[in-house]
């Protein structure tokens, strides 16, 4: 025990020595010698406060505590902390447990803080005071917050027993922390108190003070003292010129005066701005020596304070009411008692035909439970309300407000159902209201991200200069958060995105929002007038009136857009809706699954709610060769078109930020299924695999483009890791280049003729690559300053300089920018290298392909080389090139001429289908062509030709290494194909196939709205005009006779005849015994100008026979038993040939039906030619046919009958008249 007491005495001595040194160095007034008396006062103050806790464990001094100066806090305390001198460890632990859910309590440090409480920011003049509070000692000054300020404390030295310190955030540019003073500070020197009661102060109460303002002549002779209860306290407004706030005093007992009578007082003297922290609504005060002033922009006079004015608490025994009749003479109080009128220009301007709502003014006290967006002043209050503090200056509160802070809100606006993505009610404070601090947070502030640190100036501009209403402001903050999540920090830094407008030039964030923001909040609205907003009645401010906002748009991440597109595509995927209802019941299993193998969905921005805006950095993929939009979430392939159906050719677009409101989100669905028949389409178990290819396509004219800062672009534009980038030499940046004119470009595909650099021939694998051929324009040029020097002269300049450039590996990223007819510059970084662009530099192609391509040299483009687009008119001696796309003649395309089997044409895609059977076997193909492989894509196109009124249809097959097909091959799109290989099938139809030399260019996207163009209505004789006839048309005709009819049931798997639902194939291994019905009928029709043989299949047979759906179903069920019924009608009046017995009831019924007027009737026939326009065999010439006219034989030329396929059969609108006409025509022909 004695040893412990001796140790304590030694510790106390050490502590006192340290305390004395600290006090003399840090707390003694500057310019004065330190005295033992002052030092003892400080130590006694600390000792008294320490002993007041009652649990000092026998120690008279807080030996575990050490003194800390302002400089120590700023320099060494980098973590938030708190200190409570009078608390025991148990009390702190209980306090920390109440810090709240999800928060961490402030850690405790045993530090003693003393300093002078002041409202001077530094040793400056009084004019620099702005109402902020500080703690100062000899080492420095720190900003602080105090809940209940007593003005008598200012300028005095205090011990702060309970406080917390928050160091500056990582992103805080000012680099200063601040103090939160929890408890009542303890003065080191007792504050002086007046010895006796002061004489009563003559005062005016609000009603009399208001009436006095109307008498200008009397105001010069009196500076009254105003007394009353504080009923309203405005925000502390800090403008560029001055800072001020407005306090409103009301009557002490409103029952004896006019209801709601109050008088406003402007406090704008810098030394009095600290009053704002001392005033409490509901308490009574006296403000002395006021004067009346005229405020600019306000028509009436108001009371303002003088530098000599004082703020005193109102004590009834210390005041007396001033009798103005005695002081000034006359009866002032009989003046006009009408209240001051007011205007509401903003309110009238925002009124919108009954759509605007009025917010509610109220007072509320609550606890902050979340920080939604600190720079934007958005918080969560009590877990259920939104709080917006951005409509009034709150720089001091921004550093204090965090979860756990208690706020008292006076005269704030309550806005409900604001829209714009905000669902909770929002409290928002304008300049009239006050946000008062009523309790500090016990929680340690969260680590502040860069998003939470930047943007405060931008948000202030939106509120103060553009005067955004709260619904629109909330949407803007949400949109900027979406943009930050998409682009920061890899594409942009946060401060670049959230930069405020400077000299009329908006920052990037506002530029991205400008199309939507300018439409909802046009520029040119006058700035807010703070005096009017606070003083005028009725009250008008940007928060008074509001309209529910329909969210204009959103900026989803590319990954979210892709995911939502896929979700919509698979949600809408219904096999029943993808297949035509009447036809689906007649499809076999292979046909059914083939139709479902590929489908697509195009989503427009308006499809989403809210509408989506496409935003990302344009990059080129080094792995796929396509263009992509990229943000922080990932990438999305894209297809871009320049104006007038031109492709993009300028590589400078790479790395630019692209924003598009008009675009098409394309989802190509690939399905592998095994549906036995149409009856099982509802069973999802027959789908084995689902894949989707998602990409966007848009026009550059519909996009806004911003170049991005180059140092930030590597992670956004390069698909290779940084360490894979070639190292550039140190010193001056040197480059060399050479111009070339591109004449032909080949397909991007995997080729096996050349392996990656360094790979041995034995292990070479097919690598993605493409070739271009062109001509060098001049020699190599070197970089000189910002331009290029003259080309090097070589002796072989007159020699043909055709070159073949090979792009392989990462260099395939230039594929989308290279197009025939353009001049490009090939740029190689690094020191000058002789013969860098000469033949054989790095190529591994043999000489024979070069000779076939007509090139004299070959060059492999290095990964680090870049391309630049050059304008042809700026380059001398450029060969004249025709920018028009070369196209083959239609007569050459649809002929058996194979002089040149490579054809080119523009076309519109009509349909696309994924096939699982081989291509049509070709009887004449280009030498060296390979056999067709299983698995290919068939595209049917309508070839565009100026010489043909009706566009012929042609099939194009894509197979092998060209799969998957390039982007943009969609029905409705216009596409140019160059150097397709023309082939002829065994049925003499011309079709085309992709080859390695094929170049494809999308000319236009599918139209956003599909307009159904009706088929032309023609006479059948027009079909005899050859190439001038339409491929599909409508004709009004009459069914003359039936040539044949066949009804059968087949196995859905192997297509063998099915009898009574069982497959008849010998040794059948069909997985299911499912059968489908099929039907066909051949009819002879005529319209008075020509005859035609029409073939109808499946559900069209029911329309030809005139059967309703129930009758057709019953007929097919009767055929199920025998499995097949076939009737062959030899000629008019002859007995039919049948595969079944002629006396069977079913056969008799069909024979009677086919010869009845129910079938032989006038119809409106939609058809297509059985002979495709691509068929190259010549038409059958007219033949001589003998007719008997009485006893005389007649010999005449008869055209061959036209062969048609039925698309639909409809009954004519006026069947009786058409039938009569047709009957008369038939009778006339018979008589002839």
């Amino acid at each position: 025990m004695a040893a412990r007491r001796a140790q304590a005495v030694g510790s106390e001595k050490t502590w006192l020595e340290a305390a004395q040194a600290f006090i003399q160095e840090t707390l003694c007034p500057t310019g004065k010698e330190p005295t033992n008396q002052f030092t003892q006062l400080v130590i006694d103050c600390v000792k008294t406060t320490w002993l007041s806790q009652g649990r000092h464990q026998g120690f008279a001094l807080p030996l575990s505590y050490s003194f800390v100066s302002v400089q120590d806090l700023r320099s060494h305390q980098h973590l938030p902390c708190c200190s409570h001198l009078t608390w025991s460890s148990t009390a702190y632990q209980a306090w920390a447990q109440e810090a709240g859910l999800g928060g961490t309590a402030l850690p405790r440090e045993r530090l003693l803080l003393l300093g002078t409480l002041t409202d001077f920011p530094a040793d400056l003049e009084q004019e620099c005071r702005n109402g902020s509070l500080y703690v100062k000692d000899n080492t420095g000054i720190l900003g602080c917050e105090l809940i209940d300020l007593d003005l008598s404390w200012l300028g005095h030295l205090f011990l702060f027993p309970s406080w917390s310190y928050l160091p500056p955030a990582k992103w805080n540019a000012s680099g200063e922390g601040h103090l939160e003073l929890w408890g009542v500070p303890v003065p080191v020197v007792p504050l002086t108190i007046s010895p006796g009661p002061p004489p009563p102060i003559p005062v005016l109460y609000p009603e009399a003070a208001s009436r006095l303002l109307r008498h200008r002549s009397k105001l010069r002779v009196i500076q009254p003292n105003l007394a009353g209860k504080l009923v309203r306290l405005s925000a502390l407004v800090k403008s560029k010129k001055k800072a001020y706030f407005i306090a409103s005093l009301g009557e002490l007992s409103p029952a004896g005066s006019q209801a709601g009578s109050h008088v406003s007082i402007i406090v704008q003297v810098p030394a009095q701005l600290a009053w704002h922290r001392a005033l409490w609504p509901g308490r009574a005060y006296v403000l002395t020596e006021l004067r009346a002033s005229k405020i600019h922009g306000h028509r009436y006079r108001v009371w303002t304070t003088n530098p000599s004015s004082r703020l005193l608490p109102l004590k009834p025994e210390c005041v007396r009411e001033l009798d103005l009749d005695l002081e000034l003479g006359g009866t002032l109080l009989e003046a006009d008692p009408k209240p001051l009128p007011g205007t509401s220009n903003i309110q009238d301007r925002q009124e919108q035909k009954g759509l605007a709502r009025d917010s509610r003014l109220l007072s509320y006290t609550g606890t902050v439970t979340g920080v939604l967006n600190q720079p934007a002043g958005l918080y969560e209050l009590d877990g259920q309300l939104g709080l917006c503090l951005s409509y009034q200056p709150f720089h001091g509160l921004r550093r204090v407000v965090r979860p756990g802070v208690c706020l008292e809100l006076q005269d704030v606006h309550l806005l409900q159902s604001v829209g714009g993505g905000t669902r909770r009610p929002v409290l928002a404070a304008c300049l009239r209201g006050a946000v008062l601090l009523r309790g500090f947070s016990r929680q340690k502030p969260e680590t502040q991200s860069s998003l939470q640190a930047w943007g405060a100036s931008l948000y202030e501009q939106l509120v103060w200069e553009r005067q955004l209403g709260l619904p629109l402001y909330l949407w803007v903050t949400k949109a900027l958060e979406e943009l930050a999540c998409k682009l920061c920090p890899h594409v942009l830094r946060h401060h670049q995105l959230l930069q405020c407008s400077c000299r009329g030039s908006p920052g990037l964030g506002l530029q991205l929002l400008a199309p939507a923001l300018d439409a909802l909040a046009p520029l040119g609205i006058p700035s807010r007038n703070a005096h009017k907003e606070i003083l005028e009645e009725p009250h008008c401010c940007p928060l008074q009136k509001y309209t529910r906002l329909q969210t204009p748009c959103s900026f989803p991440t590319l990954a979210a857009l892709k995911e939502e597109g896929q979700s919509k595509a698979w949600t809408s995927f219904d096999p029943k809706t993808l297949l035509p209802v009447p036809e689906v019941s007649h499809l076999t299993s292979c046909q059914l699954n083939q139709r479902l193998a590929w489908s697509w969905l195009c989503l427009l921005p308006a499809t989403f709610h809210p509408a989506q805006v496409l935003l990302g950095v344009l990059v080129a993929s080094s792995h796929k060769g396509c263009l992509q939009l990229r943000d922080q979430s990932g990438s999305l392939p894209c297809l871009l078109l320049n104006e007038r159906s031109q492709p993009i050719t300028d590589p400078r677009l790479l790395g630019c930020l692209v924003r598009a409101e008009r675009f098409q989100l394309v989802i190509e669905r690939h399905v592998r299924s095994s549906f036995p028949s149409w009856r099982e389409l509802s069973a999802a178990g027959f789908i084995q695999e689902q894949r989707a290819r998602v990409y966007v396509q848009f026009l550059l004219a519909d996009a806004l483009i911003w170049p991005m800062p180059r140092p930030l672009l590597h992670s956004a534009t390069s698909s290779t890791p940084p360490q894979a980038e070639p190292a550039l030499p140190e010193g001056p940046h040197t480059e060399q280049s050479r111009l070339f004119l591109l004449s032909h470009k080949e397909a991007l595909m995997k080729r096996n003729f050349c392996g990656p650099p360094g790979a041995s021939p034995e292990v070479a694998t097919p690598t993605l690559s493409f070739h271009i051929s062109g001509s060098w324009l001049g020699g190599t040029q070197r970089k000189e300053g910002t331009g290029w020097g003259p080309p090097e002269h070589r002796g072989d300049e007159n020699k043909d300089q055709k070159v073949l450039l090979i792009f392989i590996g990462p260099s395939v990223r230039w594929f989308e920018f290279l197009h025939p007819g353009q001049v490009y510059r090939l740029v190689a970084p690094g020191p000058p290298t002789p013969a860098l662009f000469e033949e054989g530099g790095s190529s591994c192609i043999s000489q024979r392909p070069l000779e076939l391509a007509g090139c004299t040299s070959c060059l492999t483009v290095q990964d680090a080389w870049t391309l630049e687009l050059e304008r042809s008119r700026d380059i001398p001696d450029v060969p004249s090139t025709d920018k028009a796309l070369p196209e083959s003649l239609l007569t050459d395309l649809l002929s058996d001429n194979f002089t040149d089997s490579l054809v080119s044409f523009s076309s519109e895609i009509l349909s696309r289908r994924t096939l699982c059977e081989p291509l049509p076997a070709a009887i004449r193909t280009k030498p060296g062509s390979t056999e067709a492989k299983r698995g290919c894509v068939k595209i049917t196109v309508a070839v565009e030709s100026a010489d043909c009124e009706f566009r012929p249809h042609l099939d194009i097959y894509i197979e092998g290494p060209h799969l998957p097909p390039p982007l943009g091959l969609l029905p409705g799109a216009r596409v140019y194909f160059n150097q397709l290989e023309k082939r002829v099938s065994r049925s003499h139809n011309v079709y085309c196939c992709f080859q390695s030399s094929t170049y494809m260019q999308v000319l236009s996207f599918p139209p956003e709205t599909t307009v159904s163009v009706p088929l032309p209505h023609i006479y059948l004789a027009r079909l005899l005009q050859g190439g001038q006839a339409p491929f599909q048309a409508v004709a009004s005709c009459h069914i003359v006779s039936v040539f044949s009819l066949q009804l059968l049931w087949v196995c859905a798997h192997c297509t063998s005849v099915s009898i009574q639902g069982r497959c008849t194939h010998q040794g059948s291994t069909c997985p299911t015994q499912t059968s489908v019905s099929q039907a066909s009928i051949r009819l002879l029709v005529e319209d008075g100008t020509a005859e035609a043989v029409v073939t109808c299949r499946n559900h069209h047979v029911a329309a030809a026979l005139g059967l309703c759906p129930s009758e057709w179903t019953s007929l097919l069920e009767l055929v199920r038993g025998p499995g097949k019924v076939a009737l062959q009608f030899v000629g008019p009046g002859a007995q039919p040939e049948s595969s079944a017995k002629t006396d069977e009831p079913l056969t008799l019924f069909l024979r009677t039906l086919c010869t009845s007027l129910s079938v032989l009737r006038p119809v409106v026939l939609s058809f297509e030619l059985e002979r495709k326009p691509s068929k190259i065999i010549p038409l059958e010439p007219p033949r001589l046919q003998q007719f008997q006219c009485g006893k005389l034989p007649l010999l005449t030329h008869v055209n061959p009958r036209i062969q048609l396929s039925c698309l639909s059969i409809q009954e004519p609108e006026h069947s009786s008249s058409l039938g009569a006409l047709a009957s008369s025509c038939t009778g006339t022909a018979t008589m002839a």
Side-chain angles (χ1 to χ4, degrees), residues 13-90:
K13 182 179 180 181
T14 304
W15 187 90
L16 287 173
E17 291 176 353
Q20 292 174 357
F22 175 84
I23 294 169
Q24 294 176 3
E25 179 183 354
T26 307
L27 300 179
C28 284
T30 56
K32 294 184 180 181
E33 290 293 332
T35 61
N36 293 332
Q37 182 182 2
F38 178 79
T39 303
Q40 192 60 41
L41 283 174
V42 175
I43 295 176
D44 290 344
C45 178
V46 173
K47 183 177 181 180
T48 303
T49 306
W50 163 254
L51 295 175
S52 65
Q53 68 169 329
R55 297 181 180 180
H56 43 79
Q57 299 178 351
F59 294 101
L61 294 173
L63 303 182
S64 60
Y65 282 79
S66 60
F67 289 88
V68 63
S69 66
V70 168
Q71 182 62 34
D72 291 338
L73 286 177
R74 297 177 61 174
S75 303
H76 306 296
Q77 187 63 40
H78 302 300
L79 296 176
C81 67
C82 67
S83 178
H84 302 280
L85 178 61
T86 59
W87 288 14
S88 63
S89 298
T90 304

Side-chain angles (χ1 to χ4, degrees), residues 1038 1040 1086 1088 1091 1218-1232:
H1038 190 278
V1040 178
E1086 60 88 21
E1091 291 182 339
L1218 288 175
L1221 176 61
S1223 299
S1224 63
C1225 294
T1226 305
T1228 304
T1230 305
M1231 291 176 63

Side-chain angles (χ1 to χ4, degrees), residues 680-692:
E680 290 80 17
L681 287 178
S682 300
F686 292 100
I687 298 179
Q688 280 83 39
E689 182 183 1
Q690 290 185 162
R691 292 181 294 106

Side-chain angles (χ1 to χ4, degrees), residues 359-665:
S359 61
R360 287 181 54 194
L361 272 177
L362 51 82
S363 296
Y364 184 87
T365 301
T367 302
V368 175
T369 52
V371 179
L372 305 180
N373 188 329
Q374 186 178 14
L378 299 178
Y379 303 91
E380 182 187 67
L381 208 58
D382 292 333
Q384 56 187 356
L385 293 173
L387 174 62
C388 179
L389 300 179
S390 58
Y391 284 82
Q392 62 169 236
F394 74 113
H395 302 281
L397 278 179
R398 180 183 281 121
R399 61 187 183 182
V400 177
V401 177
R402 63 184 187 275
V405 166
C406 182
L407 298 177
E408 179 183 350
L409 308 174
Q410 289 287 333
D411 293 320
V412 294
H413 295 263
L414 173 65
L415 294 85
Q416 296 179 320
S417 186
V418 296
T422 303
R423 298 183 179 180
R424 69 179 81 192
V426 181
L427 293 174
C430 68
L431 295 179
R432 173 176 285 194
V435 180
L436 306 174
L437 186 64
R438 292 295 177 254
F440 293 115
S441 172
R442 307 178 184 186
Q443 295 185 14
K444 178 182 177 182
E446 298 179 356
T447 303
Q448 195 175 28
S449 66
S450 54
L451 175 61
Q452 297 170 329
W454 298 101
S457 300
L458 172 62
Y459 294 120
E460 288 179 7
Q461 281 188 341
L462 292 173
V463 170
W464 290 91
E465 296 181 13
R466 299 202 62 160
Q467 291 204 54
L468 297 189
L470 183 64
L472 185 55
Y473 177 76
L474 294 177
W475 173 76
V476 169
T477 59
K478 182 180 179 182
L480 288 174
E481 287 180 1
E482 291 178 349
L483 293 175
C485 291
K486 283 176 62 66
L487 303 176
C488 301
H490 298 307
V491 178
L492 284 171
R493 299 292 184 254
H494 284 90
H495 68 88
Q496 292 174 317
L497 176 68
L498 301 176
Q499 187 177 7
C500 61
S501 301
C502 181
R503 298 178 183 177
S505 176
L508 181 59
L510 285 185
Q511 292 182 47
L512 293 173
L513 297 180
L517 190 58
D518 292 345
L520 296 171
L523 294 169
I525 298 177
S527 300
R528 293 167 65 184
N529 187 314
H531 288 107
K532 286 185 177 181
E533 190 170 318
I534 299 173
L535 294 173
E536 283 196 353
E537 294 291 347
H539 175 57
C540 63
C541 71
L543 301 172
Q544 182 64 27
K545 292 279 186 181
Y546 70 99
T547 306
R548 178 178 174 82
L549 178 68
Q550 298 295 329
T551 305
C553 58
S554 66
F555 298 85
T557 61
L558 295 177
L561 182 64
K562 180 179 180 180
E563 183 179 354
E564 188 171 1
Q566 285 182 322
S567 175
K568 287 182 178 290
W570 292 120
T571 300
S572 62
F573 177 74
D574 185 1
K576 292 183 178 179
T577 60
L578 292 176
L579 301 173
V581 176
E583 184 184 0
V584 65
S585 60
H586 304 286
L587 297 178
T588 64
S589 178
C590 180
Q591 293 171 330
L592 195 69
N593 294 301
Q594 193 177 95
R595 298 278 186 95
L596 297 175
W598 182 87
S599 59
W600 69 295
L601 180 67
C602 180
L603 298 177
L604 302 178
T607 310
F608 303 90
H609 299 287
Q612 310 283 286
V613 175
L614 186 66
L615 184 70
V617 176
L618 186 65
V619 300
S621 173
S622 301
H623 304 289
K624 299 181 180 180
C626 65
L627 293 178
Q628 296 176 337
L629 286 178
R630 186 170 297 173
D631 63 10
Q632 296 218 126
S633 68
S635 60
L636 189 61
C638 63
L639 182 61
L640 277 70
L641 281 185
N642 214 330
E643 54 184 353
R644 296 188 296 275
S645 301
Q646 296 298 315
I648 59 170
T649 56
D650 195 347
R652 289 180 300 178
L653 289 172
L654 289 178
C656 291
L657 185 62
V658 179
R659 179 194 190 276
E661 290 188 7
R662 292 188 59 186
F663 63 90
Q664 295 178 349
L665 181 65

Side-chain angles (χ1 to χ4, degrees), residues 197-258:
I201 301 175
V203 297
L204 287 179
Y205 288 99
E207 184 178 354
S210 297
R211 304 180 71 172
L212 179 61
L213 281 175
R214 297 182 178 88
H215 297 272
R216 300 183 182 179
S217 61
K218 306 296 183 182
L219 293 175
R220 298 177 182 177
V221 298
I222 185 172
Q223 288 188 345
N225 307 315
L226 266 60
K229 182 170 64 175
L230 184 66
V231 296
R232 182 181 298 156
L233 181 66
S234 78
L236 180 58
V237 181
K238 298 179 182 180
S239 64
K240 296 180 180 179
K241 297 181 179 179
K242 62 177 63 179
Y244 61 91
F245 67 91
I246 300 177
S248 297
L249 298 181
E251 298 290 341
L252 296 177
S253 56
S257 63
Q258 294 184 8

